[in-house]
Every structure is written in C-alpha cells, then in structure tokens.
Amino acid sequence: MAIQFHHWPSKIANIIVYVTLLSGNLYSTFGGDKETDSPYDSKYKSYITPASFTFLIWTLIHFLLGGMVIFQWFTPKVHEAVGWHFVSASIFNAIWLALW
C-alpha cells in the first residue's frame, strides 16, 4: 500500500480539523474552570443526567476517527465515502463547543 496524494486538500483539511476537534474536546473535558466551562459537568444532577462513564465512548470515537485520518492516505475510498463531510461536521462540533 503506497501513500496516495489524490484529493490532498481534503486530506490535509481532515488532519487539521481532527486535531482541532480532538483538542477542543479534550479542553472541554479537562481544561478550564470545572465549575462553569465543561459541558460534561455533573453540577446539576437529575434523573436524565448520564453517568460520567457514558462519555468514555468518545475515546473509541476519537480513536476510530484518528484511524480514518491515517487510513485516508492509503486509499481513495475514504475520500469517496467521506469527502468534505468530516470537515464540516468537525467545524460544527467546534462551534457547538465554543457556544456551550
């Protein structure tokens, strides 16, 4: 499997938004003021507040997204399937975290 440079603008954009998405989610979870900044704060308990371990699924999600960002360089099928959707979804996620 050789590295393929077809569709390289979207591949570079995928890397940039993945790093941005990952760092934004890490900061949202671990950084800032725990009392007011984290959307995962369990300050207000209710019957519908999920347990903190529920958010561990994001570890698997980010691991798989990182695999996609690496695998995209070895096959054009990733670009055919994903295209610019990952870029737009990551940008919207970053906006949502900033507005939270």
Side-chain angles (χ1 to χ4, degrees):
M1 267 190 342
I3 294 178
Q4 299 180 2
F5 290 99
H6 304 298
H7 310 291
W8 65 269
S10 68
K11 292 178 179 182
I12 298 297
N14 282 341
I15 292 171
I16 291 169
V17 298
Y18 173 72
V19 170
T20 304
L21 175 74
L22 183 62
S23 61
N25 281 328
L26 287 173
Y27 179 77
S28 176
T29 303
F30 299 115
D33 183 15
K34 294 290 186 192
E35 297 290 321
T36 59
D37 286 347
S38 179
Y40 310 118
D41 186 25
S42 57
K43 182 177 178 181
Y44 303 106
K45 296 281 186 186
S46 71
Y47 289 112
I48 61 171
T49 303
S52 59
F53 68 86
T54 308
F55 297 104
L56 290 176
I57 190 67
W58 282 104
T59 305
L60 176 64
I61 291 170
H62 284 293
F63 179 73
L64 293 173
L65 288 174
M68 186 268 308
V69 167
I70 293 169
F71 187 65
Q72 73 177 347
W73 291 97
F74 299 103
T75 179
K77 292 181 181 181
V78 174
H79 179 75
E80 294 169 7
V82 177
W84 289 89
H85 294 124
F86 176 65
V87 174
S88 61
S90 297
I91 289 171
F92 288 132
N93 182 276
I95 291 170
W96 176 79
L97 286 175
L99 294 177
W100 184 277

